[in-house]
Each structure stands twice: as C-alpha cells, then as structure tokens.
Amino acid sequence: MSKKPFVIGVAGGSGSGKTFFLKCFLNHFKKEEICLLSQDDYYYRVGHTMTAEENKLYNFDLPSTIDNSQFVNDIKNLINGEAVYQKEYTFNNPNAEPKLLEIQPAPIVMVEGLFILHFEEISEILDMKIFIDTDEDIALQRRLKRDLIERGYPEGDVLYKWNNHVMPAFNDYLLPYKKQCDKIITNNTHVAEDIIEITSEISNQLRENILVL
C-alpha cells in the first residue's frame, strides 16, 4: 500500500446491532479493499476454566478483560501493511474449536468493539468514529434472543449480567464518547434495508475519497 490506511472505529453496546451493521458495511467492498479487527478476539481466555456460577459472576464487560496491548499492536501492524494472525474467541463454548484468523492489510481498516473509544491509544488512531445507538429495551431483547437461543444461557443469568455488567460498562466506557463520534447511527428497527442504505452512503463516500487512485 502506497499510503496510510484509513482507519474506522465502530463502537456499540451489546444488542446494538453492530454485527449486522458491520456485515452490511463489508459487503460494499472487495476483500482486498477492507479488513476488520474485532475486540472480541482479544479477551483474555479465562472463561473455559469456570463453572457456570463463576461465569455468571465474572464481569467480562470491563476494559481489563481485554488484552489491549496486543490489540493495539495488531492494529498498528495492519496500518504498517503487515498481516495479523489471531485466534478466534469462542465465548467460552467448550464445544467450539477456535479458528486461527488471518487478517490481511487493506486500504480501509475497520476496528470494532465496546472499548475502542475508551482506549485512548486506539481512539487517537481512528480517522472516523461510528457509534451504533439503540434504545436499551430493544438492545436487551436482542441480547436475550442471542444468549438464550444461540449460547444456551439461563434467562436469569442473562438478566443478571445485563443489569450488573453490561449496562454499567456501557454507561462508563462507551456512552461518554458518543458525542465525539463522526457518525451516530440509530438502529432501533429490524429493517435490514435501513442499515443497508446507511452503510451504502458511507461506503460510497469512502470509495470516492479513500479508494481513488
């Protein structure tokens, strides 16, 4: 790459629809035009040794649960044109075999996660900051659907984490940075076309301004 990549940060709380936003966004580009680094893959791997009760009480929604040093190092490697190899985080699923992820550098580097704006060294790297905003009751329903169906957690455990871990972390480590973001995207609907239209507008701007020869 002949010039520094354009680095985009996408932050959003649990249940904000960030994953779907990212999927739509990436679909507007060729594989060699954009890459994505997710904070989720940088959790310290402690959950697989815990009992169900220990897992319920352990607070994964704190900056200290992330290997931020490695996270920052890998972001810088991508910016410097170097590939990154990182083991996939499987969210304490003992039946899942983690994949070795290969992230190749690209003209556009996307970084996503709950704490990317809180980590000052990451925030300073970002050329564009996007905040995915969602009403709390809608976010909770999405979280319940994911954790009950996809991950098999008891409803009581999900609600305990939501009230004691998820929302306090959102209020402390993400919400204070909302006004600093370049784009605030409200995602309270389940209408895919809305997000597709928004991601199309942003991607067109980037294509005109960043991917020009």
Side-chain angles (χ1 to χ4, degrees):
M1 293 180 292
S2 60
K3 60 181 180 180
K4 175 187 173 297
F6 190 82
V7 186
I8 303 173
V10 179
S14 179
S16 65
K18 181 160 43 65
T19 300
F20 183 69
F21 174 88
L22 290 166
K23 181 179 179 181
C24 291
F25 198 96
L26 293 172
N27 281 340
H28 293 293
F29 297 92
K30 298 176 183 177
K31 184 178 180 180
E32 63 271 17
E33 293 176 330
I34 194 167
C35 63
L36 172 65
L37 200 64
S38 174
Q39 173 196 280
D40 283 351
D41 293 315
Y42 291 83
Y43 277 109
Y44 288 113
R45 300 171 193 276
V46 296
H48 64 283
T49 62
M50 295 180 181
T51 65
E53 184 64 19
E54 289 172 334
N55 186 283
K56 170 187 171 182
L57 297 176
Y58 185 86
N59 190 351
F60 290 92
D61 290 272
L62 292 174
S64 58
T65 63
I66 301 294
D67 185 354
N68 189 49
S69 177
Q70 186 61 51
F71 193 23
V72 171
N73 186 66
D74 284 351
I75 294 171
K76 291 181 176 179
N77 283 340
L78 287 172
I79 291 173
N80 291 331
E82 301 172 21
V84 166
Y85 299 89
Q86 173 66 11
K87 186 176 289 188
E88 175 188 37
Y89 187 70
T90 57
F91 296 95
N92 309 323
N93 183 350
N95 299 317
E97 183 66 29
K99 302 174 184 176
L100 181 63
L101 304 174
E102 179 182 344
I103 301 100
Q104 289 292 335
I108 299 174
V109 175
M110 293 196 76
V111 179
E112 70 91 6
L114 177 64
F115 306 124
I116 60 170
L117 303 178
H118 172 75
F119 291 136
E120 187 174 351
E121 192 171 2
I122 295 177
S123 182
E124 291 176 348
I125 292 174
L126 304 177
D127 298 305
M128 177 187 288
K129 300 173 184 177
I130 299 175
F131 188 102
I132 310 298
D133 197 20
T134 307
D135 289 347
E136 182 181 342
D137 58 337
I138 294 174
L140 174 57
Q141 291 307 311
R142 291 172 178 166
R143 171 86 176 215
L144 282 167
K145 181 179 179 182
R146 184 198 71 186
D147 282 2
L148 296 180
I149 298 175
E150 296 179 16
R151 298 182 184 171
Y153 294 156
E155 183 173 349
D157 290 6
V158 178
L159 292 174
Y160 176 88
K161 282 185 172 292
W162 182 267
N163 292 317
N164 294 280
H165 301 167
V166 175
M167 286 311 299
F170 175 81
N171 291 326
D172 290 344
Y173 305 116
L174 180 54
L175 190 58
Y177 306 99
K178 177 179 175 179
K179 293 183 179 179
Q180 299 177 12
C181 292
D182 303 289
K183 296 182 183 294
I184 300 173
I185 297 169
T186 302
N187 182 23
N188 286 326
T189 71
H190 296 283
V191 181
E193 288 76 9
D194 292 345
I195 296 301
I196 292 172
E197 181 179 355
I198 292 170
T199 56
S200 179
E201 291 175 1
I202 300 174
S203 62
N204 286 337
Q205 294 171 5
L206 291 172
R207 189 169 296 284
E208 292 174 4
N209 298 312
I210 304 302
L211 296 178
V212 292
L213 297 176

